[in-house]
Amino acid sequence: MNANARQSIIDKALEEGFGKVGICRPDAVPDIAERLEQFVSDGRHGDMAWMGERMHWRGNPAALWPEARSVIMLAEPYTPAHDPMAVIGQPDRAAISVYAQNRDYHDIVKKRLKRVGRWMIDSFGGEIKVFVDTAPVMEKPLGAAAGLGWQGKHTNLLSRDLGNWFFLGAVFTTLDLPTDAPGQENCGNCTACLDACPTDAFPAPFQLDARRCISYLTIEHKGPVDEALRPMLGNRIYGCDDCLAACPWNKFAADAQEMRYAARDDLVAPKLADLAQLDDAAFRAHFSGSPVKRVGLARFLRNVMYAIGNSGDSSLLCHAQAHAEASDPVLRDAARWAVSRLTT
């Protein structure tokens, strides 16, 4: 497959709204399996048992689809137009991660990938499979191998020309395309992301312990959060942007082109008092189309209770007391913890 076809594919992807495109071989990161196995054996994946499952695919992209000859990695910017850290200084408000303040990126990115993929098949033949964070694909190492950028000390992918506010999508194809040079690490002596982490979730640069990560604790973790970590959550009720927001490379961040990523006004800094009163129907309606909905009401309210407990605001006590006898034991525990924090 010649360079003209490669450039045509890149041009089409950029035309569809992607911010950057790179290509690598499925076996471009031979140490993925070893890194993943070490991460899981150290228990740093926490409750995410799926990381250990199908590890032979996750650790070897070439095994996921042996017929694939190339992996096209695409970056989709969602750079916020507001300061994502401003809400942290408002204890009566809730902090929701930037990526979840509007439509679910999975659906948006996947549809765009499929449009690019169909055009590729019509133009050059071959077969494709598209992935957006829902299959055993290690997108970040592949993105680095495809030259989109490099994995920073916070383990997220970052780029000289995009910063680190972007989603990743992958198109596996049977087409044999010319590849890009891998991205080169450019963090230098900077430790801004590591220093910004409220829970010290980075045992060392370029290493993450999910068990201490607020994104994991508020989204993936189903049980009660360790009491020692609860005060560190602050008012973060869904995800955490601290390490991303701290990265100096964001001064070069590309603006988001997709309006459906623009933050909804009611999700930038919602009142904890309002969120605490949502029932299941209201929760589903309020977060319709948002990734927040996938955690379910009980886990969502658990997080709201932790935020109320950290608020120091006695006017929120009644909202914690309202859930102190909840049928869900984890929510009940969180509410009682909040009550104790506001009354002692």
Side-chain angles (χ1 to χ4, degrees):
M1 188 63 62
N2 62 37
N4 289 336
R6 165 200 153 82
Q7 190 58 51
S8 295
I9 292 169
I10 292 174
D11 291 344
K12 177 63 176 177
L14 296 176
E15 179 186 313
E16 285 290 341
F18 288 104
K20 195 170 184 179
V21 186
I23 301 171
C24 66
R25 296 279 174 251
D27 59 356
V29 194
D31 65 340
I32 287 182
E34 182 180 350
R35 287 158 54 186
L36 177 61
E37 185 176 349
Q38 187 64 54
F39 181 77
V40 172
S41 65
D42 288 343
R44 291 180 177 174
H45 62 312
D47 294 339
M48 296 182 289
W50 48 266
M51 294 200 74
E53 298 167 359
R54 298 188 291 176
M55 197 181 300
H56 64 293
W57 286 348
R58 197 177 301 278
N60 180 11
L64 180 63
W65 187 27
E67 291 77 19
R69 293 294 174 265
S70 307
V71 178
I72 305 168
M73 295 299 303
L74 306 101
E76 170 102 323
Y78 68 99
T79 309
H82 63 284
D83 177 6
M85 300 307 295
V87 64
I88 302 302
Q90 303 175 61
D92 64 326
R93 304 276 178 154
I96 295 173
S97 187
V98 167
Y99 83 87
Q101 290 177 5
N102 205 322
R103 305 295 296 183
D104 192 330
Y105 71 93
H106 293 90
D107 297 333
I108 297 173
V109 176
K110 195 160 194 175
K111 287 177 182 177
R112 189 164 291 154
L113 288 176
K114 286 182 176 179
R115 287 199 297 271
V116 173
R118 283 193 293 267
W119 176 88
M120 285 173 53
I121 293 171
D122 291 343
S123 302
F124 306 109
E127 298 178 66
I128 65 160
K129 293 183 186 292
V130 302
F131 303 102
V132 186
D133 197 26
T134 54
V137 176
M138 301 282 277
E139 287 98 343
K140 290 184 286 187
L142 286 171
L148 295 185
W150 69 96
Q151 282 189 263
K153 292 178 182 178
H154 53 13
T155 74
N156 293 295
L157 200 67
L158 61 102
S159 162
R160 282 178 174 271
D161 42 7
L162 294 180
N164 58 197
W165 301 103
F166 56 89
F167 303 123
L168 291 171
V171 178
F172 281 51
T173 176
T174 56
L175 299 178
D176 193 354
L177 300 169
T179 60
D180 290 277
Q184 298 299 308
E185 189 255 305
N186 280 287
C187 290
N189 295 323
C190 179
T191 59
C193 61
L194 309 183
D195 299 337
C197 182
T199 54
D200 294 323
F202 302 105
F206 310 105
Q207 296 182 29
L208 172 69
D209 188 339
R211 296 169 296 184
R212 297 186 66 86
C213 175
I214 293 176
S215 287
Y216 163 78
L217 292 171
T218 56
I219 300 173
E220 300 290 348
H221 182 60
K222 298 177 182 178
V225 172
D226 187 319
E227 286 201 31
L229 293 175
R230 294 179 191 182
M232 303 176 195
L233 301 181
N235 61 344
R236 301 168 186 83
I237 66 162
Y238 188 93
C240 178
D241 292 320
D242 293 42
C243 66
L244 293 173
C247 181
W249 284 104
N250 285 326
K251 62 187 175 184
F252 301 113
D255 292 336
Q257 301 301 310
E258 173 55 69
M259 291 306 299
R260 286 172 291 180
Y261 297 144
R264 283 168 39 186
D265 290 341
D266 60 336
L267 295 186
V268 173
K271 293 180 179 179
L272 289 170
D274 293 341
L275 299 180
Q277 298 178 70
L278 295 176
D279 59 18
D280 191 62
F283 169 75
R284 290 177 177 276
H286 190 66
F287 292 104
S288 176
S290 165
V292 176
K293 192 170 71 172
R294 77 182 182 90
V295 301
L297 178 64
R299 201 181 317 171
F300 175 80
L301 288 175
R302 175 203 67 178
N303 298 339
V304 172
M305 293 301 107
Y306 292 147
I308 286 176
N310 289 328
S311 70
D313 187 343
S314 59
S315 71
L316 295 173
L317 176 60
C318 61
H319 299 295
Q321 291 172 326
H323 294 285
E325 301 301 329
S327 58
D328 184 273
V330 177
L331 173 56
R332 184 169 65 243
D333 169 74
R336 291 179 178 181
W337 179 84
V339 169
S340 70
R341 291 269 290 183
L342 295 177
T343 55
T344 55

